[in-house]
C-alpha cells in the first residue's frame, strides 16, 4: 500500500509571499488531516476533511490559510501571505474513517525568511 | 494552553534496559490516548493506544499505562533497542470534539545506546 504523498519536501519563501502544499492520501481513505508542527512542539491540527467536507477547521488561521479537497481525494493547503511564524513542518495524514488510525506523510518543511 | 505535556525533552538509556516515557494531561474530557514515534525527515507513525476505560495496553515490547486519577500516562519499552531511538509523541482525543482531532505533546527524544 502506497503511503501518504506530500510535495514539495522543502520550501523557502520570503515573508508576504504565497505558498501551496499538496497531499495525496492513501487510496480509499475518507478522512484527511493537515497538521502544523513548529520546531520543538507537537503537531497541531489545522483542518480535517471527511471526503470533501470540512469536519474541523477551528484552529485554522482563516485570514491567511486556506485548504480544499476537491473530489474528496487529494488536497492543497495554501498560505497567503506568509509570516515568519509560519515556518514549520506541514504534515498531511489520512485514515479510513473518523478513527484514530492516522497515517502521516513525510511532511513539507517551510521556511519563511 | 498546553493540555498534553511531556516534561522530558530527552531520555537516554542503554540497549536492553527499560525506557519509560511520561506524559501528563489536563483535560478531563480526553478519552483516548496514543503514542507516535517519529524518525528524522519522516512523518509520525502510530505505535500504541489506550482507551480511558483501560489502565494498561500491551503490544510486544511496548506497554502503555494510564492513571486517570493522576491524569498521567507512560510508555514502557522493554527491552530497548538502538532502532527505538526516535522522538516519541503522546497524543489525546477529546470526546468534546466532533471530529478526530488529536492534541499532541511536545515530544521526547529517546536515544538508546548500544
Amino acid at each position: 500500500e502506497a503511503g501518504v504523498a506530500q510535495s514539495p519536501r522543502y520550501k523557502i519563501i520570503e515573508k508576504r509571499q504565497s505558498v501551496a502544499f499538496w497531499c495525496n492520501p492513501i487510496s480509499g481513505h475518507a478522512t484527511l488531516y493537515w497538521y502544523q508542527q513548529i520546531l520543538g512542539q507537537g503537531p497541531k491540527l489545522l483542518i480535517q476533511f471527511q471526503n470533501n467536507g470540512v469536519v474541523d477547521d477551528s484552529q485554522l488561521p482563516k485570514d491567511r490559510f486556506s485548504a480544499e479537497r476537491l473530489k474528496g481525494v487529494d488536497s492543497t493547503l495554501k498560505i497567503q501571505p506568509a509570516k515568519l511564524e509560519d515556518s514549520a513542518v506541514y504534515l498531511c495524514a489520512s485514515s479510513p474513517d473518523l478513527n484514530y488510525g492516522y497515517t502521516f506523510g513525510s511532511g513539507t518543511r517551510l521556511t519563511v525568511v | 494552553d498546553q493540555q498534553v505535556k511531556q516534561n522530558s525533552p530527552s531520555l537516554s538509556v542503554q540497549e536492553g534496559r527499560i525506557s519509560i516515557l511520561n506524559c501528563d494531561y489536563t483535560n478531563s474530557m480526553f478519552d483516548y490516548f496514543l503514542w507516535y514515534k517519529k524518525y528524522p525527515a519522516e512523518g509520525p507513525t502510530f505505535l500504541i493506544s489506550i482507551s480511558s476505560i483501560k489502565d494498561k495496553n500491551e503490544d510486544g515490547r511496548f506497554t502503555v499505562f494510564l492513571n486517570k486519577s493522576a491524569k498521567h500516562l507512560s510508555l514502557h519499552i522493554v527491552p530497548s533497542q538502538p532502532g527505538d531511538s526516535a522522538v516519541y509523541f503522546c497524543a489525546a482525543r477529546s470526546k468534546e470534539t466532533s471530529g478526530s482531532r488529536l492534541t499532541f505533546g511536545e515530544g521526547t527524544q529517546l536515544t538508546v545506546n548500544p
Side-chain angles (χ1 to χ4, degrees), chain A residues 9 33 35 37 40 42-43 45 48 55-56 58-59 99-100 102 104-106, chain B residues 32 34 36 38 41-44 46 89 93 98-102 104-106:
Chain A
R9 287 299 306 271
Y33 313 81
Y35 277 79
Q37 186 182 6
L45 180 72
Q48 176 184 337
V55 174
D56 184 352
S58 58
Q59 300 184 119
N99 65 26
Y100 312 104
Y102 285 24
F104 280 93
S106 299
Chain B
Y32 197 78
L34 307 90
Y36 281 81
K38 185 182 182 304
E42 295 183 13
F46 169 73
F89 290 99
R93 178 210 176 257
S98 57
S100 47
R101 180 203 312 172
L102 295 179
F104 284 82
E106 311 93 321

Side-chain angles (χ1 to χ4, degrees), chain B residues 2-3 10-11 29 34 37 45 51 64-65 92 100 109:
Chain B
Q2 189 67 28
Q3 298 187 49
S10 63
L11 175 68
M29 299 304 285
L34 307 90
K37 178 168 77 172
T45 55
S51 166
V64 58
F65 295 92
S100 47
Q109 172 70 58

